Amino acid sequence: MRKLLWLCLFFGAYVWMVTTNNEQFVLERGKALYKMVCDWFEDADVDFHFKHKKISHQKKDRSRRWD
């Protein structure tokens, strides 16, 4: 059902864009959004100083009833 909803939504947006000659408007807004996201990622501070948890993969020997 969700796929059908998204298909109808995108098809409706495509029809609106083509019939109203808004291709250039959509292209400009898409480029502006892409540039804004790229600039945001470039300015984001990344902190690589975090503690690593030691994971011990040693198998514990459990005593068994029949031993």
Side-chain angles (χ1 to χ4, degrees), residues 1 3 8 10-13 23 26 28 30-32 34 40 52-53 61 65-66:
M1 188 67 182
K3 290 180 183 179
C8 291
F10 284 126
F11 182 71
E23 294 98 352
V26 173
E28 289 172 3
K31 286 181 180 179
Y34 177 76
W40 181 70
H52 292 283
K53 293 182 180 178
D61 291 331
R65 248 187 330 189
W66 53 85

PDB file of all heavy atoms in Angstrom, residues 1 3 8 10-13 23 26 28 30-32 34 40 52-53 61 65-66:
ATOM      1  N   MET A   1       0.820  -1.189   0.000  1.00  0.00           N
ATOM      2  CA  MET A   1       0.000   0.000   0.000  1.00  0.00           C
ATOM      3  C   MET A   1       0.869   1.260   0.000  1.00  0.00           C
ATOM      4  O   MET A   1       0.538   2.234  -0.650  1.00  0.00           O
ATOM      5  CB  MET A   1      -0.923  -0.053   1.228  1.00  0.00           C
ATOM      6  CG  MET A   1      -1.943   1.012   1.255  1.00  0.00           C
ATOM      7  SD  MET A   1      -3.109   0.741  -0.083  1.00  0.00           S
ATOM      8  CE  MET A   1      -4.146   2.129   0.115  1.00  0.00           C
ATOM      9  N   LYS A   3       3.863   1.574  -1.258  1.00  0.00           N
ATOM     10  CA  LYS A   3       4.486   1.751  -2.574  1.00  0.00           C
ATOM     11  C   LYS A   3       3.511   2.408  -3.541  1.00  0.00           C
ATOM     12  O   LYS A   3       3.900   3.270  -4.335  1.00  0.00           O
ATOM     13  CB  LYS A   3       4.950   0.407  -3.129  1.00  0.00           C
ATOM     14  CG  LYS A   3       6.134  -0.165  -2.393  1.00  0.00           C
ATOM     15  CD  LYS A   3       6.567  -1.490  -2.983  1.00  0.00           C
ATOM     16  CE  LYS A   3       7.702  -2.075  -2.187  1.00  0.00           C
ATOM     17  NZ  LYS A   3       8.140  -3.362  -2.718  1.00  0.00           N
ATOM     18  N   CYS A   8       1.836   7.121  -6.622  1.00  0.00           N
ATOM     19  CA  CYS A   8       0.839   8.143  -6.976  1.00  0.00           C
ATOM     20  C   CYS A   8       1.346   9.541  -6.656  1.00  0.00           C
ATOM     21  O   CYS A   8       1.141  10.481  -7.436  1.00  0.00           O
ATOM     22  CB  CYS A   8      -0.472   7.874  -6.237  1.00  0.00           C
ATOM     23  SG  CYS A   8      -1.332   6.392  -6.791  1.00  0.00           S
ATOM     24  N   PHE A  10       4.535  10.660  -6.447  1.00  0.00           N
ATOM     25  CA  PHE A  10       5.588  11.071  -7.377  1.00  0.00           C
ATOM     26  C   PHE A  10       5.054  11.268  -8.792  1.00  0.00           C
ATOM     27  O   PHE A  10       5.491  12.170  -9.504  1.00  0.00           O
ATOM     28  CB  PHE A  10       6.740  10.069  -7.381  1.00  0.00           C
ATOM     29  CG  PHE A  10       7.622  10.191  -6.175  1.00  0.00           C
ATOM     30  CD1 PHE A  10       7.877   9.094  -5.384  1.00  0.00           C
ATOM     31  CD2 PHE A  10       8.186  11.403  -5.821  1.00  0.00           C
ATOM     32  CE1 PHE A  10       8.683   9.206  -4.267  1.00  0.00           C
ATOM     33  CE2 PHE A  10       9.008  11.523  -4.706  1.00  0.00           C
ATOM     34  CZ  PHE A  10       9.248  10.421  -3.925  1.00  0.00           C
ATOM     35  N   PHE A  11       4.110  10.446  -9.196  1.00  0.00           N
ATOM     36  CA  PHE A  11       3.514  10.628 -10.518  1.00  0.00           C
ATOM     37  C   PHE A  11       2.734  11.941 -10.580  1.00  0.00           C
ATOM     38  O   PHE A  11       2.811  12.676 -11.570  1.00  0.00           O
ATOM     39  CB  PHE A  11       2.597   9.443 -10.877  1.00  0.00           C
ATOM     40  CG  PHE A  11       2.007   9.554 -12.238  1.00  0.00           C
ATOM     41  CD1 PHE A  11       2.805   9.379 -13.368  1.00  0.00           C
ATOM     42  CD2 PHE A  11       0.659   9.843 -12.414  1.00  0.00           C
ATOM     43  CE1 PHE A  11       2.266   9.497 -14.636  1.00  0.00           C
ATOM     44  CE2 PHE A  11       0.107   9.954 -13.674  1.00  0.00           C
ATOM     45  CZ  PHE A  11       0.918   9.782 -14.789  1.00  0.00           C
ATOM     46  N   GLY A  12       2.013  12.252  -9.521  1.00  0.00           N
ATOM     47  CA  GLY A  12       1.289  13.523  -9.460  1.00  0.00           C
ATOM     48  C   GLY A  12       2.238  14.710  -9.489  1.00  0.00           C
ATOM     49  O   GLY A  12       1.978  15.717 -10.156  1.00  0.00           O
ATOM     50  N   ALA A  13       3.363  14.604  -8.765  1.00  0.00           N
ATOM     51  CA  ALA A  13       4.360  15.681  -8.775  1.00  0.00           C
ATOM     52  C   ALA A  13       4.968  15.829 -10.162  1.00  0.00           C
ATOM     53  O   ALA A  13       5.207  16.952 -10.628  1.00  0.00           O
ATOM     54  CB  ALA A  13       5.444  15.394  -7.744  1.00  0.00           C
ATOM     55  N   GLU A  23       9.909  22.812 -14.507  1.00  0.00           N
ATOM     56  CA  GLU A  23      11.101  21.964 -14.462  1.00  0.00           C
ATOM     57  C   GLU A  23      12.309  22.737 -13.947  1.00  0.00           C
ATOM     58  O   GLU A  23      13.070  22.237 -13.113  1.00  0.00           O
ATOM     59  CB  GLU A  23      11.428  21.384 -15.842  1.00  0.00           C
ATOM     60  CG  GLU A  23      10.408  20.413 -16.370  1.00  0.00           C
ATOM     61  CD  GLU A  23       9.440  21.081 -17.332  1.00  0.00           C
ATOM     62  OE1 GLU A  23       9.477  22.316 -17.475  1.00  0.00           O
ATOM     63  OE2 GLU A  23       8.633  20.352 -17.922  1.00  0.00           O
ATOM     64  N   VAL A  26      12.042  23.393 -10.141  1.00  0.00           N
ATOM     65  CA  VAL A  26      12.338  22.190  -9.362  1.00  0.00           C
ATOM     66  C   VAL A  26      13.828  21.885  -9.411  1.00  0.00           C
ATOM     67  O   VAL A  26      14.434  21.527  -8.397  1.00  0.00           O
ATOM     68  CB  VAL A  26      11.502  20.994  -9.867  1.00  0.00           C
ATOM     69  CG1 VAL A  26      11.918  19.706  -9.204  1.00  0.00           C
ATOM     70  CG2 VAL A  26      10.024  21.263  -9.639  1.00  0.00           C
ATOM     71  N   GLU A  28      16.335  24.054  -9.843  1.00  0.00           N
ATOM     72  CA  GLU A  28      17.042  25.047  -9.021  1.00  0.00           C
ATOM     73  C   GLU A  28      16.875  24.760  -7.536  1.00  0.00           C
ATOM     74  O   GLU A  28      17.826  24.846  -6.757  1.00  0.00           O
ATOM     75  CB  GLU A  28      16.528  26.453  -9.334  1.00  0.00           C
ATOM     76  CG  GLU A  28      16.950  26.976 -10.682  1.00  0.00           C
ATOM     77  CD  GLU A  28      16.267  28.284 -11.036  1.00  0.00           C
ATOM     78  OE1 GLU A  28      15.502  28.803 -10.190  1.00  0.00           O
ATOM     79  OE2 GLU A  28      16.489  28.773 -12.151  1.00  0.00           O
ATOM     80  N   GLY A  30      16.234  21.846  -6.175  1.00  0.00           N
ATOM     81  CA  GLY A  30      16.974  20.619  -5.879  1.00  0.00           C
ATOM     82  C   GLY A  30      18.457  20.886  -5.711  1.00  0.00           C
ATOM     83  O   GLY A  30      19.099  20.362  -4.791  1.00  0.00           O
ATOM     84  N   LYS A  31      19.017  21.721  -6.584  1.00  0.00           N
ATOM     85  CA  LYS A  31      20.431  22.084  -6.470  1.00  0.00           C
ATOM     86  C   LYS A  31      20.698  22.862  -5.191  1.00  0.00           C
ATOM     87  O   LYS A  31      21.708  22.642  -4.520  1.00  0.00           O
ATOM     88  CB  LYS A  31      20.869  22.908  -7.675  1.00  0.00           C
ATOM     89  CG  LYS A  31      21.032  22.108  -8.935  1.00  0.00           C
ATOM     90  CD  LYS A  31      21.482  22.993 -10.085  1.00  0.00           C
ATOM     91  CE  LYS A  31      21.644  22.227 -11.366  1.00  0.00           C
ATOM     92  NZ  LYS A  31      22.062  23.097 -12.481  1.00  0.00           N
ATOM     93  N   ALA A  32      19.791  23.776  -4.838  1.00  0.00           N
ATOM     94  CA  ALA A  32      19.959  24.560  -3.610  1.00  0.00           C
ATOM     95  C   ALA A  32      19.889  23.665  -2.379  1.00  0.00           C
ATOM     96  O   ALA A  32      20.677  23.817  -1.441  1.00  0.00           O
ATOM     97  CB  ALA A  32      18.898  25.650  -3.536  1.00  0.00           C
ATOM     98  N   TYR A  34      20.605  20.431  -2.298  1.00  0.00           N
ATOM     99  CA  TYR A  34      21.820  19.611  -2.306  1.00  0.00           C
ATOM    100  C   TYR A  34      23.015  20.400  -1.771  1.00  0.00           C
ATOM    101  O   TYR A  34      23.785  19.906  -0.960  1.00  0.00           O
ATOM    102  CB  TYR A  34      22.095  19.129  -3.731  1.00  0.00           C
ATOM    103  CG  TYR A  34      23.355  18.334  -3.870  1.00  0.00           C
ATOM    104  CD1 TYR A  34      23.409  17.019  -3.440  1.00  0.00           C
ATOM    105  CD2 TYR A  34      24.510  18.898  -4.423  1.00  0.00           C
ATOM    106  CE1 TYR A  34      24.572  16.270  -3.557  1.00  0.00           C
ATOM    107  CE2 TYR A  34      25.670  18.168  -4.543  1.00  0.00           C
ATOM    108  CZ  TYR A  34      25.695  16.856  -4.111  1.00  0.00           C
ATOM    109  OH  TYR A  34      26.843  16.131  -4.213  1.00  0.00           O
ATOM    110  N   TRP A  40      26.212  21.753   5.150  1.00  0.00           N
ATOM    111  CA  TRP A  40      25.943  21.367   6.532  1.00  0.00           C
ATOM    112  C   TRP A  40      26.879  20.234   6.958  1.00  0.00           C
ATOM    113  O   TRP A  40      27.401  20.234   8.061  1.00  0.00           O
ATOM    114  CB  TRP A  40      24.481  20.956   6.673  1.00  0.00           C
ATOM    115  CG  TRP A  40      24.106  20.558   8.058  1.00  0.00           C
ATOM    116  CD1 TRP A  40      23.998  21.376   9.135  1.00  0.00           C
ATOM    117  CD2 TRP A  40      23.801  19.245   8.516  1.00  0.00           C
ATOM    118  NE1 TRP A  40      23.629  20.642  10.235  1.00  0.00           N
ATOM    119  CE2 TRP A  40      23.505  19.335   9.881  1.00  0.00           C
ATOM    120  CE3 TRP A  40      23.739  18.001   7.885  1.00  0.00           C
ATOM    121  CZ2 TRP A  40      23.157  18.225  10.630  1.00  0.00           C
ATOM    122  CZ3 TRP A  40      23.393  16.903   8.649  1.00  0.00           C
ATOM    123  CH2 TRP A  40      23.112  17.022  10.000  1.00  0.00           C
ATOM    124  N   HIS A  52      36.502   2.680  23.074  1.00  0.00           N
ATOM    125  CA  HIS A  52      36.162   1.395  22.497  1.00  0.00           C
ATOM    126  C   HIS A  52      35.965   0.401  23.627  1.00  0.00           C
ATOM    127  O   HIS A  52      36.774   0.325  24.545  1.00  0.00           O
ATOM    128  CB  HIS A  52      37.276   0.884  21.581  1.00  0.00           C
ATOM    129  CG  HIS A  52      37.430   1.697  20.338  1.00  0.00           C
ATOM    130  ND1 HIS A  52      36.564   1.582  19.289  1.00  0.00           N
ATOM    131  CD2 HIS A  52      38.325   2.638  19.982  1.00  0.00           C
ATOM    132  CE1 HIS A  52      36.938   2.408  18.331  1.00  0.00           C
ATOM    133  NE2 HIS A  52      38.007   3.073  18.730  1.00  0.00           N
ATOM    134  N   LYS A  53      34.914  -0.343  23.554  1.00  0.00           N
ATOM    135  CA  LYS A  53      34.691  -1.375  24.547  1.00  0.00           C
ATOM    136  C   LYS A  53      35.460  -2.620  24.124  1.00  0.00           C
ATOM    137  O   LYS A  53      35.428  -3.010  22.960  1.00  0.00           O
ATOM    138  CB  LYS A  53      33.209  -1.712  24.663  1.00  0.00           C
ATOM    139  CG  LYS A  53      32.395  -0.593  25.231  1.00  0.00           C
ATOM    140  CD  LYS A  53      30.949  -1.016  25.350  1.00  0.00           C
ATOM    141  CE  LYS A  53      30.118   0.103  25.917  1.00  0.00           C
ATOM    142  NZ  LYS A  53      28.710  -0.276  26.006  1.00  0.00           N
ATOM    143  N   ASP A  61      34.697 -21.981  30.027  1.00  0.00           N
ATOM    144  CA  ASP A  61      34.486 -23.416  30.225  1.00  0.00           C
ATOM    145  C   ASP A  61      33.455 -23.603  31.324  1.00  0.00           C
ATOM    146  O   ASP A  61      33.682 -23.225  32.476  1.00  0.00           O
ATOM    147  CB  ASP A  61      35.790 -24.111  30.595  1.00  0.00           C
ATOM    148  CG  ASP A  61      36.769 -24.132  29.428  1.00  0.00           C
ATOM    149  OD1 ASP A  61      36.285 -24.137  28.282  1.00  0.00           O
ATOM    150  OD2 ASP A  61      37.983 -24.151  29.681  1.00  0.00           O
ATOM    151  N   ARG A  65      27.285 -31.330  33.981  1.00  0.00           N
ATOM    152  CA  ARG A  65      26.787 -32.276  34.964  1.00  0.00           C
ATOM    153  C   ARG A  65      27.460 -33.626  34.864  1.00  0.00           C
ATOM    154  O   ARG A  65      27.724 -34.278  35.848  1.00  0.00           O
ATOM    155  CB  ARG A  65      25.281 -32.489  34.736  1.00  0.00           C
ATOM    156  CG  ARG A  65      24.443 -31.971  35.800  1.00  0.00           C
ATOM    157  CD  ARG A  65      23.009 -32.337  35.620  1.00  0.00           C
ATOM    158  NE  ARG A  65      22.584 -32.489  34.234  1.00  0.00           N
ATOM    159  CZ  ARG A  65      21.335 -32.630  33.881  1.00  0.00           C
ATOM    160  NH1 ARG A  65      20.403 -32.656  34.769  1.00  0.00           N
ATOM    161  NH2 ARG A  65      21.004 -32.767  32.615  1.00  0.00           N
ATOM    162  N   TRP A  66      27.711 -34.067  33.641  1.00  0.00           N
ATOM    163  CA  TRP A  66      28.203 -35.421  33.449  1.00  0.00           C
ATOM    164  C   TRP A  66      29.726 -35.525  33.527  1.00  0.00           C
ATOM    165  O   TRP A  66      30.270 -36.589  33.392  1.00  0.00           O
ATOM    166  CB  TRP A  66      27.708 -35.987  32.140  1.00  0.00           C
ATOM    167  CG  TRP A  66      28.008 -35.099  30.956  1.00  0.00           C
ATOM    168  CD1 TRP A  66      29.134 -35.069  30.265  1.00  0.00           C
ATOM    169  CD2 TRP A  66      27.137 -34.141  30.406  1.00  0.00           C
ATOM    170  NE1 TRP A  66      29.056 -34.134  29.287  1.00  0.00           N
ATOM    171  CE2 TRP A  66      27.832 -33.538  29.335  1.00  0.00           C
ATOM    172  CE3 TRP A  66      25.844 -33.704  30.681  1.00  0.00           C
ATOM    173  CZ2 TRP A  66      27.270 -32.529  28.555  1.00  0.00           C
ATOM    174  CZ3 TRP A  66      25.296 -32.733  29.895  1.00  0.00           C
ATOM    175  CH2 TRP A  66      26.005 -32.150  28.858  1.00  0.00           C
TER     176      TRP A  66
END
